Amino acid sequence: MVVVMAPGATPAEVQAVVDLVRAAGGDAFVSRGVSRTIVGLVGDVADFDALNLGSRSGVLRVMRVSVPYKLVSREHHPARSVIRVGGVPIGPGTLSVIAGPCAVETPEQTLEAALMARAAGASMLRGGAFKPRTSPYSYQGLGEAGLRILADVRAETGLPVVTEVIDPGSVEMVASYADMLQIGARNMQNFALLQAVGAIDRPVLLKRGFSATVEEWLSAAEYIAQRGNLDIVLCERGIRTFETATRNTLDISAVPVAQQLSHLPVIVDPSHSGGRRDLVLPLTRAAVAAGADGLIIDVHPRPRTALCDGDQALTDADLRELADAVTGLAPLMGRVLAEPVQPAVAA
Ligand code: PEP
Ligand code: MN
C-alpha cells in the first residue's frame, strides 16, 4: 500500500501518517521526490484499511499496488519519468549517451577517453574506480584516487560522471565525487548497498544482475526508492544464457518490458552485453530501435593496453561511427540526442 501525500503536505502531516501506521503494528517508509512525497506501508493491509488514511490531513490518495515493486511501478506512476544527472536528462524524448573507460587507469587515459566521448556527442562520462572483478587477481581499480581523477576530468570537460560504488560504507565518499552512482550487475541484490544509495540525494544507475528476472531487477530498484531516492535509471547489460559466443546475451525485450512495468528510464550497455567490440554497434542499433532511453559505452584511447575489458572498448574511430549511427536513428524513434554539457573550464 502506498500513501501519496498532497503537494503541499507538511512534515508534521507526513509524520502523522507514519505514526498511525506504526501504532497499528506496521512500518512506513517516506520517499521524498522533487514533486511529491510518498509513504510506502509495510504490514497487514486490513489493519491499514481501518486507519482510513485517505481522509487524513495532507493525504492526496491511498493506493493498493498489485506488484511487489510499488514506488517504481507504472501502476503507481503512469507517466514515464525523466531523471536529471548534472543537468542531463535521461528518459522519454531524449537519447542520452554515456561513454568512457571501463576502468580509470591514469589521469591521461581518463581525460583522453572523456575527450573522445565528448567529441562524439556523449553527454556523460563513465569510469570505474572500484572494480568488482570476478577474479581477485584482476585489476581492482584505483579506489579514491580514481575518483579524484574523474572529478578533475569532469572539471576539465564538463561531463557529469557516473561511477560504481561497491560497499555501503563508501557510498557517501563516492557520492562526494560523482554525479551518479552505479550499482553493478554483481551487486544488484546487495540489499544493504541498495538501501545505502537509497538514503542519499544522488541519482543511481542500477544495472540488471546477469541472472536476475525483470521482477527481481525492479524489486531491487524498489529497495532504493523505498529509502527515499526515486532518481533511478535502469540498465540492461546482458544476462547469462547457454550461449557462449558472446559474454552475455543482450535481453532486448527487457527494454520495453521494464518500460511497461516501471516509470523509470531504461538504458542499455551494449559493451558488457556482447563483450566484443564488433558487436557494440549492432547491439546499439537494436537498443535504440527497441526504445532504450540511453546507452552506456566502453571506450579507451588504446584498447589493447586496457587494464579492464579491452576487448569490448571502442576506439575513437569506432565511437564516431557509433555516434553517426545513433544520430541517424534517434529521430526515427522520436528522440533528440541529449545535449553535451558546456565545459566548466575550456579543455
Ligand atoms: C561496468 O559497467 O564497468 C561493469 C562492471 O558492468 P556490470 O556490472 O554490468 O558487469
Ligand atoms: Mn567493464
Side-chain angles (χ1 to χ4, degrees), residues 48-284:
F48 303 146
D49 278 343
L51 297 174
N52 203 8
L53 291 170
S55 65
R56 303 280 162 177
S57 140
V59 172
L60 187 66
R61 62 181 193 277
V62 178
M63 297 175 64
R64 288 167 187 261
V65 184
S66 61
V67 285
Y69 42 90
K70 302 183 189 312
L71 302 175
V72 306
S73 76
R74 279 189 91 164
E75 267 184 53
H76 156 61
H77 188 271
R80 301 198 55 231
S81 292
V82 175
I83 307 300
R84 287 183 183 276
V85 184
V88 176
I90 306 180
T94 50
L95 187 70
S96 312
V97 180
I98 306 169
C102 177
V104 173
E105 299 168 10
T106 65
E108 296 74 25
Q109 167 255 6
T110 308
L111 180 59
E112 279 181 80
L115 292 175
M116 281 165 56
R118 202 181 64 180
S123 47
M124 278 181 66
L125 175 67
R126 62 148 290 146
F130 293 93
K131 299 301 303 175
R133 306 302 299 282
T134 299
S135 163
Y137 302 110
S138 299
Y139 180 64
Q140 303 285 311
L142 293 177
E144 192 167 357
L147 298 177
R148 280 195 286 271
I149 293 173
L150 285 168
D152 289 347
V153 170
R154 173 184 50 210
E156 192 146 350
T157 62
L159 294 171
V161 164
V162 56
T163 195
E164 184 159 353
V165 57
I166 59 175
D167 75 285
S170 55
V171 165
E172 296 267 354
M173 185 272 287
V174 177
S176 72
Y177 294 95
D179 300 282
M180 183 181 219
L181 301 176
Q182 178 172 322
I183 302 292
R186 290 159 189 77
N187 269 319
M188 190 207 81
Q189 283 187 316
N190 181 337
F191 298 117
L193 182 59
L194 297 173
Q195 288 172 334
V197 298
I200 64 158
D201 182 16
R202 191 67 88 245
V204 177
L205 180 64
L206 178 64
K207 290 193 135 191
R208 179 182 181 185
F210 37 67
S211 299
T213 63
V214 170
E215 182 168 309
E216 287 163 343
W217 185 24
L218 298 181
S219 297
E222 187 76 9
Y223 267 89
I224 302 171
Q226 194 203 44
R227 293 292 153 135
N229 187 354
L230 286 159
D231 289 341
I232 307 163
V233 173
L234 301 166
C235 177
E236 159 63 34
R237 46 78 72 209
I239 54 173
R240 182 158 288 181
T241 67
F242 55 82
E243 183 55 72
T244 55
T246 48
R247 184 176 180 183
N248 296 284
T249 299
L250 175 59
D251 181 7
I252 204 73
S253 34
V255 175
V257 168
Q259 288 174 339
Q260 281 161 19
L261 296 172
S262 171
H263 58 90
L264 300 175
V266 181
I267 71 166
V268 167
D269 179 343
S271 307
H272 289 82
S273 297
R276 284 170 33 183
R277 184 173 308 113
D278 61 327
L279 296 181
V280 176
L281 179 58
L283 296 182
T284 292

